[in-house]
Amino acid sequence: TLVLSVASLCLFTYETSALNPERLASQYLVDRFGRESGLPSDTVWVVREGPNGYLWIGTRGGLVRFDGARFSVFNRQSHPEFSANEVRDLEWTPNGELWIGTYGGGAMLMRDGEFESIGSEDGLVGDVVYDVHRASDGSIWFATGSGVSRFDGQEIRSWREEDGLASPQVFKIASD
C-alpha cells in the first residue's frame, strides 16, 4: 500500500517548486533552529502559518510563535492553562482562532491571545490528541488515543471502539 501511495504521488506531481530549479542546492542558505535558538525542544511535530504570517510550531516542549526574528513560547511554565507541553497538531479557523492538540492535555483553544483548555472532563474522548481537523460545516474534530470527538460550537460528541470504530487510536482525520 505504501509503495502504491508513493508511486501515485510521483505520478501526480505538479510542475511547481518552492525552489528555483536553475540553482544548485549549494546556492541556498540553510538555517537550523533548535534549543540554542530559543525553541523549547528539538522535537517539532507540526508547523503552520498563522493568519498574520507568523509561523506557529508545535514541539515537545510547547507551542511556539516565530516572527522571523525570535521565538515566543507558550507552555505550562508560561501559561497555567496548559496541562501538557507537547503540541501535536494545530488548526486555524477562518476567524483567527487556533485549535491546539496536545499529547496528554487534551485540546486548547487560543482566542484573542487567551487559552482555554478542553479535556476529557469536558467531554473530549481522550486527552492524547493526535490531530485536529476543521470540517466544512465549521465543526472541529479531534483524533485521539481513545477515539474521535466532534465539537460543533455548543457540545462535544464522541465515538469509541464500542460505537463502531475499528480501533480506539485514531491518528488522522480528513473530510470526504
Side-chain angles (χ1 to χ4, degrees):
T1 310
L2 179 61
V3 174
L4 184 58
S5 299
V6 171
S8 66
L9 285 174
C10 293
L11 290 174
F12 298 108
T13 58
Y14 295 97
E15 288 294 320
T16 60
S17 177
L19 301 177
N20 182 345
E22 302 297 319
R23 287 185 156 182
L24 298 173
S26 61
Q27 292 177 292
Y28 290 98
L29 296 176
V30 176
D31 284 331
R32 181 193 180 281
F33 298 106
R35 288 184 187 186
E36 69 282 351
S37 307
L39 285 175
S41 171
D42 288 329
T43 302
V44 173
W45 294 109
V46 61
V47 177
R48 299 266 193 271
E49 183 177 355
N52 295 330
Y54 295 122
L55 284 182
W56 291 82
I57 306 165
T59 75
R60 182 172 277 164
L63 175 66
V64 180
R65 184 186 70 211
F66 182 58
D67 64 9
R70 70 182 96 43
F71 297 101
S72 299
V73 178
F74 306 89
N75 58 19
R76 289 188 313 192
Q77 290 74 21
S78 62
H79 292 79
E81 299 87 357
F82 280 75
S83 57
N85 280 340
E86 192 165 340
V87 174
R88 287 297 184 101
D89 198 28
L90 303 170
E91 181 73 32
W92 288 96
T93 65
N95 61 356
E97 296 175 342
L98 176 61
W99 283 95
I100 305 157
T102 73
Y103 190 88
M108 308 268 316
L109 173 62
M110 186 184 81
R111 181 183 311 148
D112 300 324
E114 299 293 323
F115 293 96
E116 177 184 340
S117 179
I118 299 170
S120 54
E121 67 279 354
D122 303 303
L124 200 64
V125 70
D127 287 327
V128 174
V129 178
Y130 294 109
D131 186 39
V132 180
H133 175 77
R134 185 179 54 81
S136 59
D137 66 359
S139 62
I140 305 295
W141 290 78
F142 304 95
T144 80
S146 304
V148 175
S149 291
R150 176 183 180 263
F151 179 61
D152 64 5
Q154 301 295 320
E155 63 181 352
I156 297 174
R157 179 165 182 225
S158 298
W159 294 267
R160 297 173 178 78
E161 201 169 16
E162 56 266 18
D163 298 312
L165 290 181
S167 168
Q169 289 190 318
V170 180
F171 296 101
K172 199 75 177 157
I173 295 179
S175 295
D176 186 357

